[in-house]
Amino acid sequence: MITKFKQQYPSGVLVIFLLQMFTMIGFAINQSVLVLYVLKTFHMTEQHAYSLFGAYMSLAFGASVLGGYIASIAGYRLTLLASLLLAAAGLFSLAIPGLLAFYFGLSAFVVATATSLPTIFVLLGRLYMDHDERRDSGFTIAYIGMNVGAFVAIFAAGYIEKYLNYAAAFIIGGLFMLISFVLFYLQKENFKVSDHIRQTTKKPKRKKLLALLMGLIALPSTGFLLTHSTLSNILLIVIGFASGIFILFHAFKSHGIIRAKLLVFWILTVISIIFWALYMLAPSALNIFVDRNVDKHLLGWAIPTITVQSLNPFFIVTVGPLLSILWIKLSQRNLEVSTPAKFAIGTLLMGAGYLVLLPGISLASATGIVAFGWIILSYFLQTCGELLLGPVGYAMVGTLVPVPLLGIMMGIWQLATGVAGALSDYLAELTISPSASQLPIVTDSTFAKAFAEFGLISIAVGVIAALIAPKLTRIMNAD
């Protein structure tokens, strides 16, 4: 089977698959336990925990623009090796008791994620020629590896925390980062660039020193922003707002179809920010709701709170292939679903994922405990929305943006996820009960009000997106 795989795909694709799987184990463990860890270990307030999580997610994704730039100067192979070691050090540091070790570890992990995330995809792209028909399938394999790793990590993390402790979860994540380092070090020759690319991308020593300096500054800067998480979230939102103005400036400076396509890009970026801001509530506010207000028994088996989050990658791995088959069948019948339509349907599904929790809360037990089936249904709907909206983003940028602006607009598209992470903090805070009580019978009403607002906002955006989708599609398909 492995021999057949090597014949069908370039040497190195299997390495990327394993790298995505192993590195995602570390990232998913950190993401899934972070809010509960700071609440139960450092006794942070919910507001502080949500603010910190928002800053963590926004910096990890938003700073990847800078991380990709550093990698382009220092070299992608060297950068990936360094980032994997830094990620391992960060996770090991998180296992050490105390706030100083915690903030150092989280800062190191954010910087490592921001550099490794774009670097792995660049290295994967180098394995293919520009018009290689296998390129899309190679990226799909990497996406599958990432979600297999996420499912294994999140599913196991709950039991590791339950039977061992949080420190053990962080250490296991760090060990997988070291495994990733060894794997890539042994296979790095598969990712050598051609002589032509080496000559055209060779950087002078002063630029490499600049990359090193930027990397050294990134660590304390990230630490400062994490310890001032509210400031960090405000900063990311302001940068996001400025980026939106930047897109509109270039749109109205342009003419004809270029202007129209840039406006479509702006609209789809705004929709994606709303979608991902609601999506990122799963490891924070939704996680707290599951922990305190949900009966987590399935077929007589008690499921740890953290493990519940593994429903997302589980549905991605199981439902994703079915959706891929559906798209192929529809395309063969000339019924292909356009990118704007996928954005609209995905956003509607996200809204439905929150609204479906309302009957669950209304049917709660006398003590306010909600049946687990409603959470499963919510995750299923949200994940189906992700499968519609998530995979098409980067391809959409190349379709809508003129070549001279492609680099900066790709960076803004990545930054949009960071902005969503910052916004998720403010959304999560809407679920905090004004009462000091954590009893489900008291907090159910607060969660219900917030979930209703999240669902209705998402549904409203989805309906508007559906109404304008035909026009946006015509613009996208125009020459």
Side-chain angles (χ1 to χ4, degrees):
M1 185 175 179
I2 293 178
T3 303
K4 186 178 179 181
F5 182 92
K6 289 182 176 179
Q7 291 173 347
Q8 291 181 342
Y9 295 95
S11 178
V13 171
L14 181 59
V15 176
I16 294 293
F17 172 84
L18 294 173
L19 278 176
Q20 286 285 67
M21 184 168 63
F22 293 154
T23 56
M24 181 50 67
I25 287 174
F27 181 81
I29 285 175
N30 201 24
Q31 174 183 291
S32 62
V33 308
L34 183 59
V35 170
L36 287 174
Y37 176 65
V38 298
L39 284 173
K40 296 182 178 182
T41 303
F42 301 119
H43 306 291
M44 290 184 183
T45 63
E46 287 179 46
Q47 184 176 8
H48 189 182
Y50 293 153
S51 177
L52 178 62
F53 181 80
Y56 164 69
M57 293 297 288
S58 64
L59 289 169
F61 286 99
S64 63
V65 179
L66 179 61
Y69 177 72
I70 291 174
S72 69
I73 297 174
Y76 291 101
R77 294 190 299 171
L78 177 62
T79 299
L80 182 56
L81 288 170
S83 65
L84 292 173
L85 283 180
L86 185 61
L91 287 166
F92 290 144
S93 182
L94 288 171
I96 301 171
L99 277 172
L100 182 62
F102 169 77
Y103 277 112
F104 171 79
L106 196 61
S107 301
F109 194 78
V110 165
V111 174
T113 302
T115 50
S116 64
L117 188 66
T119 301
I120 288 177
F121 283 109
V122 170
L123 290 172
L124 174 59
R126 280 184 174 178
L127 298 175
Y128 295 93
M129 301 295 289
D130 288 343
H131 302 291
D132 194 324
E133 294 179 353
R134 301 172 298 170
R135 175 183 285 267
D136 286 349
S137 63
F139 278 83
T140 301
I141 288 170
Y143 189 71
I144 292 171
M146 183 171 64
N147 283 286
V148 169
F151 172 72
V152 171
I154 300 172
F155 184 86
Y159 292 98
I160 294 169
E161 185 276 325
K162 181 178 179 180
Y163 293 107
L164 297 172
N165 50 39
Y166 287 108
F170 291 131
I171 290 170
I172 290 171
L175 290 174
F176 273 98
M177 288 297 177
L178 290 181
I179 292 172
S180 301
F181 173 84
V182 173
L183 172 66
F184 185 71
Y185 181 79
L186 294 175
Q187 298 293 324
K188 65 182 185 298
E189 293 304 310
N190 286 321
F191 302 92
K192 289 178 67 175
V193 298
S194 65
D195 291 336
H196 171 69
I197 296 177
R198 186 181 294 109
Q199 291 298 322
T200 56
T201 60
K202 192 173 182 180
K203 306 294 182 183
K205 286 185 177 180
R206 58 185 177 83
K207 283 203 169 184
K208 290 189 176 183
L209 289 174
L210 175 62
L212 177 61
L213 180 63
M214 291 171 68
L216 292 174
I217 293 174
L219 197 57
S221 300
T222 302
F224 173 82
L225 290 172
L226 288 173
T227 53
H228 299 79
S229 53
T230 300
L231 173 64
S232 175
N233 291 330
I234 292 172
L235 181 63
L236 258 295
I237 292 170
V238 169
I239 294 173
F241 185 77
S243 298
I245 294 175
F246 178 83
I247 297 171
L248 292 175
F249 170 77
H250 279 279
F252 288 108
K253 193 176 75 169
S254 304
H255 302 281
I257 194 61
I258 294 177
R259 171 186 289 184
K261 286 192 172 186
L262 282 173
L263 289 174
V264 172
F265 173 65
W266 182 85
I267 291 169
L268 295 181
T269 301
V270 171
I271 294 172
S272 75
I273 289 173
I274 295 169
F275 178 91
W276 293 116
L278 292 169
Y279 175 87
M280 289 185 188
L281 293 174
S284 58
L286 191 56
N287 197 24
I288 297 302
F289 175 71
V290 170
D291 185 54
R292 299 173 181 170
N293 298 55
V294 174
D295 177 11
K296 296 177 287 298
H297 286 82
L298 183 64
L299 302 176
W301 188 267
I303 302 174
T305 300
I306 296 168
T307 299
V308 173
Q309 296 176 63
S310 66
L311 286 168
N312 172 254
F314 171 77
F315 285 132
I316 286 177
V317 173
T318 54
V319 178
L322 299 178
L323 275 179
S324 297
I325 294 171
L326 176 63
W327 302 145
I328 293 172
K329 295 291 185 183
L330 290 174
S331 179
Q332 289 172 346
R333 298 181 182 183
N334 293 320
L335 297 172
E336 188 172 357
V337 182
S338 68
T339 295
K342 287 179 179 178
F343 271 61
I345 299 169
T347 308
L348 288 169
L349 287 169
M350 175 59 70
Y354 280 102
L355 291 181
V356 78
L357 294 172
L358 300 183
I361 294 174
S362 68
L363 296 171
S365 69
T367 56
I369 297 297
V370 177
F372 189 49
W374 297 103
I375 293 297
I376 296 175
L377 181 55
S378 176
Y379 265 99
F380 174 76
L381 292 169
Q382 290 187 43
T383 304
C384 287
E386 177 189 357
L387 286 167
L388 281 161
L389 192 144
V392 300
Y394 288 101
M396 175 270 294
V397 180
T399 303
L400 294 172
V401 174
V403 174
L405 294 174
L406 186 57
I408 186 65
M409 294 301 179
M410 191 70 80
I412 289 175
W413 178 253
Q414 181 66 51
L415 179 66
T417 308
V419 175
L423 286 173
S424 72
D425 162 35
Y426 298 98
L427 296 177
E429 290 180 16
L430 295 175
T431 66
I432 299 175
S433 174
S435 169
S437 174
Q438 295 181 0
L439 293 174
I441 195 66
V442 176
T443 59
D444 270 350
S445 60
T446 303
F447 278 112
K449 182 176 182 294
F451 293 157
E453 291 173 354
F454 300 158
L456 291 173
I457 290 171
S458 191
I459 292 290
V461 172
V463 168
I464 294 171
L467 291 174
I468 64 176
K471 183 174 180 61
L472 300 185
T473 302
R474 286 195 296 272
I475 293 172
M476 286 189 71
N477 294 334
D479 294 325

